[in-house]
Amino acid sequence: TFSEDRTEAAVVLRVAPGAPTTVEHVVISGLETTKEEVVRRELAVKEGEPLGLDRVLESQRRLGALGLFDRVTITEMDPDSADRRSVVVRAEEAPLTTVSYGIGYAEQDYLRASVEVTRRNLFGMDRRLSAFARASFRGFRMLGTFREPYLLGRKQELFFTAFREEEEREAFSYIRTGVTLQTARNLSHSWCLILRETYAETRTFNTTEDCLAFGREFCPGTLSGPSASLVHDTRDDPLDPHRGHFLLTDTQVSLRLLGGNTLVKGFVQGTTYQLLTKDTLVAFSGRLGLARTFGEEQLLVPAPVRFFAGGDYSLRGFGLDEVRPEGGNALILGGIELRRHLLGAFWG
């Protein structure tokens, strides 16, 4: 309907819904190694349910995200049918094995070389197995990872990782071995739960210095037991946040029954960001940690799991871990920052 001066028009769109189009059959073709159930469990297009363009696009996105296929197309077999149509999913599988390698030089290692082999779609079920090895004149490192995308028939990723590394340095030598079993689940768009079972052993030898002199990660100790982390994240940008908050809680237990030092450790970290004006930001942060041993010769937990403070991302004005170089069983740390936009990407 036009206005009186015919400079404007009011438009009314009347839609009469017709009968819904239902998916009668889903036909999958082109698979050589991949099991058909791997494709079907990712499809948003289901037999007996309505057919819509959004479901077709979502199905293509999910299948492409698997990384198993070079190309995926979804077409309608009988597009002239008014109420029931069949859908054809054609998939072209990508290569199953990838190999990467490199050679380089480092001050500690001198000449070193590495190779990584990844086998995707193990047993045709989207499982992945990868192995990494790096060797030099001073030591070597081996790492293996297995990924199970569907745990107990549910869309739940499970990772199993095992590693071993040895190195000879001027001040000391060390051997580290470990295995980790980990799974994570998103409880909502901002909450995530992470469960782990870990065994990690570090042995240091050929040194007369305190291990903390060359890094607490090289101090001897054995951890073996379960741990859990709960993460809540509403930041607008994880790398450069301007609003929102971040909360991390972590609990770790190590038991002699499982081959490790007996200890318990809890840690809470929280940060919140608030824009006061377009160019002014205030950030509050806090950390609280408690740990202790049970049935050990000393109450102080092993150096690799002690609490430390100092450094750019901890207590500024001190060097890394300088507040108490030997570390401790407890930590309480708080901070307030007022940030002001200066120019371009620079803040003060």
Side-chain angles (χ1 to χ4, degrees):
T1 303
F2 285 95
S3 60
E4 291 183 0
D5 58 2
R6 301 188 67 82
T7 59
E8 296 180 351
V11 179
V12 177
L13 179 64
R14 293 185 175 89
V15 180
T21 302
T22 304
V23 179
E24 185 172 16
H25 298 290
V26 176
V27 181
I28 300 174
S29 64
L31 300 182
E32 297 179 5
T33 303
T34 307
K35 299 293 181 62
E36 189 173 303
E37 64 180 279
V38 173
V39 176
R40 289 190 178 274
R41 68 192 183 191
E42 299 296 332
L43 290 177
V45 178
K46 305 289 186 181
E47 295 177 351
E49 296 184 2
L51 174 64
L53 179 60
D54 55 341
R55 297 193 179 194
V56 172
L57 295 177
E58 176 63 16
S59 298
Q60 288 183 314
R61 186 196 67 79
R62 292 181 186 179
L63 292 173
L66 293 179
L68 302 178
F69 309 108
D70 282 335
R71 180 181 301 174
V72 176
T73 58
I74 301 178
T75 57
E76 300 172 25
M77 184 180 296
D78 39 10
D80 295 332
S81 177
D83 55 352
R84 300 184 68 85
R85 299 179 188 176
S86 296
V87 174
V88 179
V89 181
R90 294 183 176 89
E92 297 180 12
E93 293 183 345
L96 300 179
T97 304
T98 57
V99 180
S100 59
Y101 50 88
I103 188 170
Y105 176 85
E107 184 178 4
Q108 291 286 349
D109 300 332
Y110 303 121
L111 189 66
R112 65 183 183 186
S114 63
V115 61
E116 183 174 14
V117 180
T118 301
R119 178 71 175 184
R120 296 181 295 181
N121 207 12
L122 204 62
F123 309 121
M125 293 300 294
D126 191 27
R127 300 183 178 105
R128 185 173 66 236
L129 181 65
S130 63
F132 171 83
R134 185 182 67 200
S136 69
F137 289 103
R138 304 294 293 271
F140 74 92
R141 174 178 173 84
M142 296 186 298
L143 175 69
T145 301
F146 173 76
R147 169 185 172 268
E148 168 60 60
Y150 268 73
L151 180 62
L152 301 177
R154 300 180 58 186
K155 190 175 179 61
Q156 178 73 48
E157 287 189 321
L158 178 71
F159 291 90
F160 176 79
T161 303
F163 71 90
R164 179 180 175 87
E165 60 180 334
E166 299 181 11
E167 188 172 340
E168 297 179 3
R169 298 191 176 185
E170 294 183 0
F172 66 100
S173 300
Y174 72 90
I175 298 176
R176 281 200 293 228
T177 57
V179 294
T180 301
L181 193 67
Q182 176 174 305
T183 185
R185 186 164 189 82
N186 291 323
L187 305 178
S188 68
H189 72 282
S190 60
W191 288 93
C192 178
L193 176 65
I194 304 171
L195 302 176
R196 295 178 300 272
E197 177 68 32
T198 303
Y199 176 86
E201 179 187 28
T202 301
R203 289 182 290 160
T204 306
F205 45 93
N206 296 336
T207 181
T208 57
E209 298 183 65
D210 186 345
C211 62
L212 291 172
F214 41 78
R216 67 175 186 265
E217 66 271 21
F218 301 110
C219 288
T222 304
L223 294 178
S224 182
S227 60
S229 299
L230 186 62
V231 181
H232 181 50
D233 192 356
T234 62
R235 296 173 295 177
D236 57 344
D237 186 336
L239 298 181
D240 186 22
H242 290 82
R243 59 175 58 88
H245 53 267
F246 175 82
L247 175 68
L248 167 67
T249 65
D250 184 84
T251 303
Q252 182 178 21
V253 177
S254 179
L255 303 171
R256 182 177 294 125
L257 181 65
L258 300 176
N261 300 103
T262 301
L263 62 92
V264 61
K265 177 181 179 181
F267 178 71
V268 179
Q269 174 181 341
T271 310
T272 184
Y273 305 87
Q274 182 65 50
L275 279 172
L276 302 180
T277 67
K278 182 178 66 173
D279 296 324
T280 306
L281 167 71
V282 62
F284 299 88
S285 64
R287 301 179 188 180
L288 174 65
L290 294 171
R292 66 160 295 169
T293 61
F294 293 93
E296 302 286 341
E297 294 183 1
Q298 60 176 9
L299 292 179
L300 191 63
V301 298
V305 293
R306 291 176 195 168
F307 295 106
F308 294 84
D312 293 344
Y313 298 98
S314 176
L315 188 59
R316 295 180 183 177
F318 291 84
L320 182 64
D321 298 344
E322 278 188 354
V323 174
R324 183 180 177 181
E326 68 272 22
N329 276 8
L331 168 72
I332 182 169
L333 179 66
I336 304 175
E337 286 187 4
L338 185 66
R339 303 178 186 177
R340 178 73 180 174
H341 181 239
L342 301 178
L343 179 66
F346 290 94
W347 291 62

